[in-house]
Amino acid sequence: MAFRRRNKSYPFFSQEFLIQNHADIVFCLVVFILIGLMFEVTAKTAFLFILPQYNTSTLTPDGEVSLYQCGWRDCVTVLFYFFIAIILHAVVQEYVLDVSICALL
């Protein structure tokens, strides 16, 4: 039985390093933002990444209706959820697709 060779270790900030570790890097950024929710000092900044920012509430006979407008701060929110999509893609690729392909071989 042949031994598997370990993958080559790439230098930091090289293109290969970013390609191999992009999900891990993004996961660290997301965890950093979520940890910011735990402290009152940084919670306002962390909410900028998670919630829509331009809320316009109006009173109607049925109650209060919340509508959201779009603005430049929503770009940060979209970027955060794009990071979440990158993490989910990496998890599906690592634990569903690669495992099922290895099971077929």
Side-chain angles (χ1 to χ4, degrees):
M1 178 188 326
F3 292 103
R4 279 180 78 180
R5 296 183 99 190
R6 294 188 108 193
N7 289 341
K8 184 177 167 184
S9 177
Y10 297 109
F12 289 129
F13 303 117
S14 67
Q15 184 177 4
E16 293 86 8
F17 179 80
L18 292 175
I19 290 171
Q20 292 293 324
N21 298 314
H22 68 280
D24 296 327
I25 295 168
V26 169
F27 181 74
C28 290
L29 290 172
V30 168
V31 167
F32 183 72
I33 292 168
L34 292 177
I35 288 174
L37 288 172
M38 296 195 311
F39 304 106
E40 190 174 346
V41 176
T42 57
K44 283 188 176 184
T45 306
F47 278 125
L48 179 70
F49 287 92
I50 297 172
L51 299 174
Q53 300 300 312
Y54 297 97
N55 180 9
T56 54
S57 299
T58 57
L59 292 173
T60 61
D62 297 332
E64 186 178 37
V65 176
S66 295
L67 300 172
Y68 292 95
Q69 305 291 326
C70 54
W72 67 272
R73 286 185 182 174
D74 291 330
C75 294
V76 178
T77 306
V78 169
L79 183 67
F80 179 77
Y81 285 105
F82 183 70
F83 287 162
I84 298 294
I86 290 173
I87 294 169
L88 291 176
H89 175 267
V91 168
V92 168
Q93 183 175 356
E94 181 71 24
Y95 295 108
V96 177
L97 298 177
D98 289 347
V99 171
S100 64
I101 289 173
C102 290
L104 292 175
L105 297 176

